[in-house]
Amino acid sequence: MQQHTFKQHPRLGTEVLQGGNLRELTNQQRQEFKQSLWENGVIVVRNQNMTASQLQEFTNHTFGESGFKYLPKSLDPDIHPDLQSPGVSILGNPKESSPEIIGQFAWQWHHDKDHLPRTDGLDMNSLYVVMLYGVEIPVQGLDGKPHTTEFIDMVEAYQNLEPGYRRQLEQMSMYHLPPRTYKLGSDVPMKKHPIVSTHKVTGHKGLYLGSDTSIAVGMEDDLSLAKQFWQELFQRILECTPVYAHVWQPGDLVVWDNSQVMHAGIPYDGSKYKRVALRVAAVDKTQIV
């Protein structure tokens, strides 16, 4: 897919709390942190030093306990205990004995939506926040460039489309499935959601596409047509909307609001490089809207 990638963006990737320690924030600083997130879509805090449990604690104090738990049966003896905590998942290839990369399914454009399709009372554009903390960073991706995660501003994407096309999309909705691969059936949770959504804090309109497994209403009986529609729509977005690439440094915490942005991981060679990233997600329960 054609795209134009930039390492700087007027909104996405804004650095906040320079010189600050996320384990020592005041309540006012937490509120300012969240306000920066809603205003910018993606924010970055550099030079942090946290364990998995400290990252989860920061999340709970800032956004409220989500109840979304990844519960390991026991600690993995091949992974340092500081990297393991209920509610926190590990992406990359953290085991010295194995180059297997965890999370390769994220190497395509998507909104994170882990629990949203199967959780009653939550819209697909709920204030679903994901944090990724870089512990160990590969030297480069398969493209030979520094290791990055790419983001696209879906508010900007909506504004960049032709007015007539925007009006067409405003009349359409999509069914959203849980992430990864699910065979459609009565036991598979799906949620219908408008393609054009209004942000619950800012009031700005933007596009919510989920992933290429999303099914436009009216195309349920032709999944190949539904995928083609999604891919053609996203290609039009890429052609008119710049992509922001966050260049990772160890100690970076990157936080994004899934109701505003899509993202894609960039492949790297797990046989040459090690990547360890801690991921935690929550729906903000503290915001009064």
Side-chain angles (χ1 to χ4, degrees):
M1 288 185 172
Q2 178 182 348
Q3 65 184 56
H4 305 284
T5 303
F6 299 91
K7 294 180 181 178
Q8 292 185 330
H9 188 278
R11 204 166 81 92
L12 308 186
T14 298
E15 187 174 346
V16 300
L17 296 172
Q18 297 184 25
N21 186 336
L22 290 174
R23 291 175 286 148
E24 300 176 352
L25 298 186
T26 65
N27 288 336
Q28 180 178 345
Q29 286 175 315
R30 292 182 193 278
Q31 290 303 317
E32 293 172 352
F33 175 91
K34 290 201 297 183
Q35 188 59 38
S36 295
L37 176 61
W38 309 140
E39 290 176 357
N40 296 289
V42 181
I43 58 175
V44 180
V45 188
R46 295 197 184 273
N47 300 314
Q48 298 303 297
N49 184 10
M50 292 187 291
T51 65
S53 60
Q54 289 168 339
L55 177 60
Q56 182 67 72
E57 183 179 4
F58 167 74
T59 304
N60 293 345
H61 286 169
T62 305
F63 297 102
E65 293 200 34
S66 67
F68 300 155
K69 298 295 185 183
Y70 304 92
L71 294 172
K73 295 180 179 178
S74 60
L75 290 182
D76 189 325
D78 295 328
I79 299 177
H80 196 285
D82 283 352
L83 301 176
Q84 302 181 70
S85 178
V88 179
S89 55
I90 306 175
L91 302 182
N93 49 330
K95 296 186 179 184
E96 298 290 349
S97 59
S98 173
E100 179 185 0
I101 297 174
I102 304 168
Q104 293 186 52
F105 60 87
W107 291 352
Q108 59 183 358
W109 285 102
H110 62 288
H111 291 269
D112 279 332
K113 54 184 179 178
D114 308 44
H115 304 273
L116 297 181
R118 61 170 67 98
T119 304
D120 293 336
L122 292 179
D123 297 331
M124 293 305 299
N125 73 326
S126 295
L127 298 175
Y128 190 60
V129 176
V130 170
M131 290 176 259
L132 198 61
Y133 173 55
V135 178
E136 192 162 345
I137 306 300
V139 174
Q140 62 185 21
L142 291 181
D143 57 4
K145 299 177 181 179
H147 183 62
T148 63
T149 299
E150 295 185 343
F151 296 88
I152 190 164
D153 185 340
M154 301 305 284
V155 175
E156 182 181 7
Y158 168 76
Q159 295 170 345
N160 288 346
L161 294 173
E162 304 87 345
Y165 194 43
R166 289 204 303 262
R167 288 192 292 270
Q168 176 186 341
L169 294 177
E170 286 169 358
Q171 305 303 312
M172 300 182 66
S173 295
M174 284 182 173
Y175 291 107
H176 296 276
L177 286 74
R180 309 189 197 183
T181 302
Y182 284 80
K183 293 183 179 180
L184 291 178
S186 59
D187 59 336
V188 176
M190 292 197 304
K191 279 186 179 173
K192 185 171 74 171
H193 191 80
I195 291 178
V196 179
S197 293
T198 300
H199 192 270
K200 295 181 180 297
V201 175
T202 68
H204 295 151
K205 285 186 175 182
L207 302 175
Y208 190 90
L209 303 185
S211 66
D212 66 0
T213 62
S214 302
I215 304 167
V217 173
M219 300 182 188
E220 302 92 316
D221 296 330
D222 192 339
L223 297 184
S224 61
L225 178 63
K227 185 176 288 288
Q228 179 182 349
F229 171 81
W230 193 97
Q231 291 173 340
E232 290 177 354
L233 169 55
F234 192 70
Q235 179 61 43
R236 291 179 72 163
I237 291 169
L238 284 179
E239 289 173 355
C240 68
T241 309
V243 170
Y244 161 67
H246 175 74
V247 180
W248 282 93
Q249 300 175 20
D252 282 359
L253 181 74
V254 179
V255 187
W256 62 92
D257 171 9
N258 279 280
S259 63
Q260 298 188 58
V261 300
M262 295 180 72
H263 70 285
I266 301 302
Y268 67 97
D269 188 343
S271 66
K272 291 183 179 180
Y273 305 115
K274 187 176 182 180
R275 180 196 188 224
V276 181
L278 303 182
R279 179 190 183 277
V280 65
V283 173
D284 183 27
K285 293 186 174 182
T286 66
Q287 184 71 42
I288 300 175
V289 296

